[in-house]
Amino acid sequence: MTALARPRPIMGVYEKPFWEAVQQRELRLQRCRNCDHVWYPPGPVCPSCLSDDWRWDRMSGRGRVIAWTVFHRQYFRELPVPYLVVSVALEEGPLLIANILGVEPAAMRLDMAVHVEFEPARSADGDWLIYQWAPD
Amino acid sequence: MPNSLRLAALADSVAVVGVGDTDYAVDYQRARDKQVDKDAYGYAALAFKRALADAGVACSDIDGLIAGPTLAGERLGEVLGIDPRWSAQGDAVNAIMQAAIAIHSGFAECIALVYGNNQRSKGTQYGGPRADGGERYLAYVYYAPWGMTSQGALYALMTQRYMALHGLKSENLGEIAMAQRRFAKMNDNAIMRAPLTTAEYLAGRFICEPLRLFDYCLVNDGGVAMIMTTAERARRMAKTPVLVSGVGRSDINSGATSLQPRLIDFYHTGHRQTAAQVFDMAGVGPGDIDLVQIYDSFSVHVLFALEGFGYCPVGEAGQFIANGAIGPGGRLPINTSGGHLSEAYMQGWNHQVEIVRQLRREAGARQVEGARHAQYISDVAGKVASVIYKREGS
Ligand SMILES: [Zn+2]
């Protein structure tokens, strides 16, 4: 698969382990050891109990479509339109955004079952992996 | 829980006594022709002078100053020659709330609220790598790797889900843009005044599908100013006071970047908490409101606000707005100046001016007959706020 040019993600202290896992083809989110809450985006403490005792837990990667939009206006030089952006609720709870592989806009349905896949991406500073949705 | 007793003391104690705005339609053409002769402070200064004249007060009467979010407070005071004893900064609805609180508690007696924005001539970006607001709202910039950006795309996601859940059709959604355009036709200062048919609405290009060109607000230069003071002082002034009768606010932050409160709840939790406070404080309900102004950076704000504030049940806003019900002569006139879609995008500030003109019965051809109570609603990024205004003596 050819790597597509993409803007780099924001890479703060808490994003770094998240994206390092993605490079290993794993979707990991923080899970609280105190109350079992799972959250996204990554952050310093559990938003449910403020505990900083959490671990990077591997997600199932499975979820259901919550919403989608087709971009017709081009906002990023690297990304030609049209393209689909899809919000998915993971089985573990949090909602994550990505594109969807191999689905036409007309075929999109609410609650459609999807799973995570990893796609090559390219930026000025090198190649990397991004996560995407794919239909089950 | 809000303290009803304390809020009751604030109700009707503060009034808007002056409003001023700039020449949106003229300046829109000037920006297109590259003939702009003002910056944000220039628009702000013109609006301020017009608000002073409208109120019949002198600049030396102003003892409090609130700068809109696109202006620096110090520079604004320097430009206008105002050294206030109280000042603040805020978006439209928070400026009004802060002014009401400051006047009620005696920090200041006569406050100028001033906004100016040269977003069109300056080329402000609302999406992409330099998206405005990204430093305050992480969701505006967080999803760039997937090409997800702009407040409009976030509302497109909400709209798509709403359509899938409730069967709303594009032509039905178009009723909002068309109703506001019919009001704008009766407003000489509105930028978009040409009639808009369903066919023209549907022929508008998609920006972020399912939202089309006419679901998006304008981007234009302009300024707005308001003068607020105590209700007692307002009663000694020339024009009919417009009282701040109720205020309500509820910030939804949990899950904001993952878009949970937007996509799962349509911000209705924030709407309901805000509605409970604002209606209780003003002592009225949705049935008493003669006209509503809704912050409409996108048409669909109207649907979610109507449902969340109890004007109709969840899922029924499409039926509620059908057949011109929110346009001129309809059962609930909404955004009667044309709003952000057709009058001007002044980030909620022009909606306050329109309410004051309507409640003073100065709105000319688009006047809502006998208007006594008007409600303003905004829910930008889940920061839900509402003000109910009352015509003095109602
Ligand atoms: Zn926890």
Side-chain angles (χ1 to χ4, degrees):
Chain A
M1 213 187 300
T2 348
L4 295 174
R6 294 188 176 278
R8 274 284 193 181
I10 289 175
M11 199 63 76
V13 172
Y14 308 105
E15 277 85 7
K16 213 159 166 283
F18 172 82
W19 282 102
E20 281 168 2
V22 170
Q23 301 320 297
Q24 304 304 313
R25 300 181 178 267
E26 289 178 356
L27 187 64
R28 288 184 182 269
L29 293 181
Q30 289 158 293
R31 183 188 289 275
C32 180
R33 284 200 175 94
N34 182 47
C35 77
D36 211 41
H37 184 61
V38 176
W39 65 92
Y40 177 86
V45 295
C46 168
S48 186
C49 74
L50 296 183
S51 169
D52 50 14
D53 186 13
W54 41 258
R55 62 196 162 91
W56 288 100
D57 193 29
R58 188 160 180 184
M59 298 290 110
S60 67
R62 287 191 298 272
R64 301 250 168 205
V65 167
I66 293 294
W68 63 96
T69 177
V70 184
F71 274 73
H72 292 267
R73 180 179 159 176
Q74 186 166 357
Y75 285 98
F76 296 95
R77 166 177 58 72
E78 307 94 312
L79 299 171
V81 291
Y83 54 86
L84 257 169
V85 168
V86 182
S87 168
V88 165
L90 288 180
E91 282 179 347
E92 291 84 358
L95 269 52
L96 270 69
I97 287 281
N99 307 122
I100 190 162
L101 304 174
V103 182
E104 290 302 311
M108 290 299 300
R109 295 286 179 274
L110 210 59
D111 294 327
M112 207 167 108
V114 299
H115 61 272
V116 78
E117 285 193 5
F118 299 89
E119 185 187 38
R122 180 166 49 84
S123 299
D125 55 350
D127 288 2
W128 48 291
L129 287 176
I130 190 169
Y131 62 92
Q132 299 286 25
W133 307 122
D136 281 2
Chain B
M1 285 296 290
N3 185 320
S4 296
L5 277 177
R6 283 183 172 268
L7 287 170
L10 177 60
D12 301 331
S13 75
V14 172
V16 181
V17 293
V19 291
D21 51 10
T22 57
D23 308 312
Y24 306 135
V26 172
D27 291 331
Y28 190 74
Q29 193 55 50
R30 292 182 76 99
R32 302 201 101 175
D33 297 342
K34 310 259 184 253
Q35 298 292 320
V36 171
D37 61 352
K38 290 183 186 64
D39 66 3
Y41 296 91
Y43 296 113
L46 178 59
F48 174 64
K49 284 163 62 170
R50 288 176 175 175
L52 285 180
D54 182 59
V57 301
C59 192
S60 55
D61 290 324
I62 303 298
D63 61 359
L65 179 64
I66 305 184
T70 54
L71 301 173
E74 180 187 73
R75 180 63 185 147
L76 178 66
E78 181 177 23
V79 165
L80 303 180
I82 297 174
D83 296 319
R85 62 189 175 96
W86 182 87
S87 70
Q89 184 143 30
D91 62 16
V93 72
N94 286 300
I96 288 150
M97 289 188 191
Q98 291 180 82
I101 293 164
I103 292 166
H104 181 68
S105 51
F107 286 112
E109 190 182 309
C110 190
I111 297 181
L113 298 72
V114 186
Y115 170 84
N117 198 338
N118 58 342
Q119 55 192 339
R120 178 144 199 124
S121 53
K122 191 174 71 173
T124 302
Q125 299 293 310
Y126 291 99
R130 292 176 294 121
D132 188 71
E135 67 289 352
R136 293 187 303 282
Y137 304 115
L138 191 54
Y140 291 13
V141 292
Y142 204 66
Y143 300 110
W146 299 273
M148 173 69 195
T149 184
S150 80
Q151 178 83 285
L154 298 171
Y155 275 92
L157 287 172
M158 293 169 84
T159 308
Q160 185 64 68
R161 180 169 170 86
Y162 186 95
M163 287 175 145
L165 284 173
H166 302 301
L168 180 82
K169 299 277 185 284
S170 288
E171 48 272 34
N172 196 190
L173 178 60
E175 296 258 6
I176 299 165
M178 291 190 290
Q180 293 187 202
R181 187 61 67 85
R182 285 196 288 277
F183 278 121
K185 202 166 179 300
M186 297 185 279
N187 175 5
D188 290 340
N189 205 23
I191 291 169
M192 293 293 169
R193 303 184 63 228
L196 181 66
T197 65
T198 303
E200 286 163 336
Y201 166 79
L202 292 172
R205 64 180 181 273
F206 283 123
I207 311 290
C208 288
E209 193 178 340
L211 296 183
R212 292 175 160 84
L213 179 65
F214 298 113
D215 294 307
Y216 274 63
C217 67
L218 299 159
V219 175
N220 64 285
D221 288 4
V224 174
M226 304 170 67
I227 310 294
M228 293 174 67
T229 189
T230 62
E232 306 86 85
R233 186 160 162 186
R235 289 185 188 104
R236 300 194 299 270
M237 297 170 74
K239 293 197 171 179
T240 305
V242 172
L243 303 171
V244 174
S245 205
V247 295
R249 185 168 164 185
S250 178
D251 287 15
I252 303 298
N253 299 322
S254 294
T257 308
S258 94
L259 311 179
Q260 246 139 355
R262 271 184 195 276
L263 299 179
I264 305 300
D265 192 37
F266 298 96
Y267 295 139
H268 287 333
T269 301
H271 293 152
R272 289 187 192 108
Q273 287 172 2
T274 304
Q277 178 176 322
V278 74
F279 285 127
D280 179 61
M281 181 172 162
V284 296
D288 302 306
I289 303 295
D290 300 300
L291 62 119
V292 180
Q293 307 290 321
I294 300 173
Y295 188 101
D296 54 331
S297 35
F298 309 97
S299 58
V300 287
H301 280 281
V302 171
L303 299 180
F304 308 141
L306 286 173
E307 295 182 358
F309 279 80
Y311 284 93
C312 67
V314 169
E316 292 182 17
Q319 289 109 285
F320 186 93
I321 65 169
N323 306 312
I326 58 172
R331 66 171 151 161
L332 185 68
I334 294 178
N335 292 345
T336 52
S337 68
H340 288 158
L341 302 182
S342 284
E343 185 194 36
Y345 179 45
M346 292 282 99
Q347 301 185 312
W349 291 77
N350 50 326
H351 293 75
Q352 321 306 319
V353 172
E354 175 65 8
I355 282 179
V356 169
R357 289 181 178 148
Q358 286 283 350
L359 294 183
R360 285 173 173 174
R361 320 263 168 89
E362 290 176 348
R366 64 180 190 279
Q367 178 66 49
V368 174
E369 210 179 317
R372 293 178 302 169
H373 291 96
Q375 182 172 20
Y376 174 70
I377 297 170
S378 65
D379 66 0
V380 179
K383 295 348 131 202
V384 184
S386 180
V387 180
I388 291 175
Y389 294 92
K390 182 168 90 174
R391 177 184 166 90
E392 162 73 6
S394 297

